[in-house]
Amino acid sequence: MNRNDLRRLDLNLLIVFETLMHERSVTRAAEKLFLGQPAISAALSRLRTLFDDPLFVRTGRSMEPTPRAQEIFTLLSPALDSISTAVSRAADFDPATSKAVFRIGLSDDVEFALLPALLRRLRAEAPGVVLVIRRTNYLMMPALLASGEISVGVAYTEELPANAKRKVLRRSKAKLLRADTAPGALSLDDYCARPHALVSFAGDLTGFIDDELAKLGRERHVVLAVPQFNGLATLLAETDIVASVPDYTAAALTAAGGLRAEDLPLQTQSFELHMAWRGAQDNDPAERWLRSRIQMFCGDPDSL
């Protein structure tokens, strides 16, 4: 196919194909693209004719791509990113009048502690924009970025898609939270003797604190694991349970009263909070504005 033949090609078909490659399901692709299942099925039929290949073969509940589909996807995804970048660069962005929809991935600690200040700033500068917040973590971030379900995410990250970009927003230390009124800071013996609460998205009962304690030949006893920080203050109230949380989360929790924060009675390494985004939208004016506000209100310049 030469460039003149591209006039016969419906770009929407390629978007459907890319979505099917990510979702492996007509139903989920329809939901993501806000289309009916018959429309997705019809598009798939046209794609099969266009590429002269079945493209997807049903295996149980999933639709597995054929080798030809994998080959097309490898070539197509960067091309669609380039088209998106070219169109974005040509568009001006005025926060005061924009009605853009931003899809942002946030870990629970960031959503709880840092989103409120960011939201207030965005509402002041761009009252017409819409924010769609998706819960993410280091395991979910790569897929959410690769599929385009989010354009930018803030969380601790490890592996990312090849075309993603990343920067450190802040370096943080853990703080100890307690609701009791006993005077003085906890010693290491007191810390290990106390019951502990742990915020864990996956329901784990151990974390990096336990690794540090093990190096000292010590351990703690976790009696409560919850999936999010919202409500932690209420759970600790009138108990001797303590919790170890990121310093920015501790600041948000203690600001409401009823809790106090102090340094941990053991040395721990700082950890990095990252902002990651799709490389295809690196120069998008709207996305650049959004990232600058995330840096301003979720970052901590003093720690960088």
Side-chain angles (χ1 to χ4, degrees):
M1 177 181 289
N2 60 41
R3 294 198 178 188
N4 285 334
D5 293 330
L6 288 175
R7 292 177 298 174
R8 299 185 289 106
L9 179 62
D10 183 354
L11 184 61
N12 290 320
L13 290 178
L14 303 183
I15 301 299
V16 170
F17 172 76
E18 184 183 45
T19 305
L20 284 170
M21 285 295 294
H22 287 300
E23 301 297 332
R24 310 293 172 91
S25 163
V26 168
T27 300
R28 291 196 299 272
E31 291 173 351
K32 183 174 179 182
L33 294 174
F34 302 102
L35 296 171
Q37 291 188 37
I40 299 297
S41 296
L44 178 56
S45 178
R46 293 174 63 190
L47 283 163
R48 285 168 167 162
T49 300
L50 175 67
F51 292 113
D52 191 24
D53 188 86
L55 297 179
F56 297 93
V57 178
R58 183 166 294 281
T59 304
R61 296 184 178 181
S62 177
M63 297 176 63
E64 294 302 315
T66 64
R68 174 65 174 144
Q70 293 281 15
E71 177 187 359
I72 294 167
F73 180 69
T74 300
L75 297 171
L76 178 63
S77 190
L80 289 175
D81 283 345
S82 296
I83 293 172
S84 175
T85 299
V87 173
S88 297
R89 286 182 180 180
D92 293 329
F93 177 72
D94 179 6
T97 60
S98 175
K99 298 186 182 301
V101 177
F102 293 109
R103 301 182 182 276
I104 307 172
L106 300 177
S107 55
D108 177 68
D109 53 318
V110 174
E111 180 182 339
F112 173 77
L114 302 179
L115 177 59
L118 173 64
L119 178 61
R120 287 190 290 272
R121 178 60 177 238
L122 297 185
R123 292 295 301 160
E125 288 190 37
V129 305
V130 177
L131 299 185
V132 179
I133 305 299
R134 296 289 302 271
R135 181 65 53 81
T136 190
N137 58 23
Y138 73 98
L139 294 173
M140 301 162 63
M141 182 84 82
L144 289 172
L145 285 171
S147 67
E149 292 177 71
I150 61 173
S151 62
V152 61
V154 180
Y156 165 78
T157 62
E158 291 184 352
E159 296 297 322
L160 291 174
N163 68 337
K165 295 181 178 292
R166 169 170 53 192
K167 73 178 300 182
V168 176
L169 278 183
R170 61 167 68 212
R171 293 185 175 92
S172 301
K173 298 278 284 187
K175 287 284 190 177
L176 170 65
L177 284 180
R178 51 192 293 202
D180 65 272
T181 58
L186 293 184
S187 67
L188 182 58
D189 287 340
D190 294 333
Y191 180 79
C192 293
R194 286 287 191 97
H196 287 252
L198 180 67
V199 179
S200 168
F201 181 81
D204 299 321
L205 290 176
T206 58
F208 77 96
I209 295 291
D210 300 280
D211 296 334
E212 296 300 325
L213 286 171
K215 295 176 184 177
L216 302 174
R218 310 296 291 266
E219 61 182 9
R220 62 176 176 170
H221 180 46
V222 175
V223 300
L224 173 68
V226 294
Q228 56 191 28
F229 287 93
N230 187 26
L232 187 60
T234 303
L235 295 171
L236 297 185
E238 300 181 17
T239 76
D240 60 348
I241 300 174
V242 297
S244 303
V245 303
D247 50 15
Y248 50 87
T249 308
L253 284 163
T254 55
L259 290 177
R260 54 178 164 148
E262 61 190 55
D263 292 335
L264 297 182
L266 69 157
Q267 290 295 321
T268 60
Q269 293 185 343
S270 62
F271 59 93
E272 295 179 343
L273 184 66
H274 301 139
M275 175 169 63
W277 63 96
R278 289 167 55 84
Q281 293 166 298
D282 188 39
N283 290 305
D284 182 305
E287 292 290 335
R288 287 173 65 89
W289 171 82
L290 175 64
R291 293 197 302 270
S292 73
R293 275 30 184 192
I294 291 175
Q295 172 72 60
M296 189 182 302
F297 288 90
C298 296
D300 180 8
D302 292 339
S303 70
L304 301 181

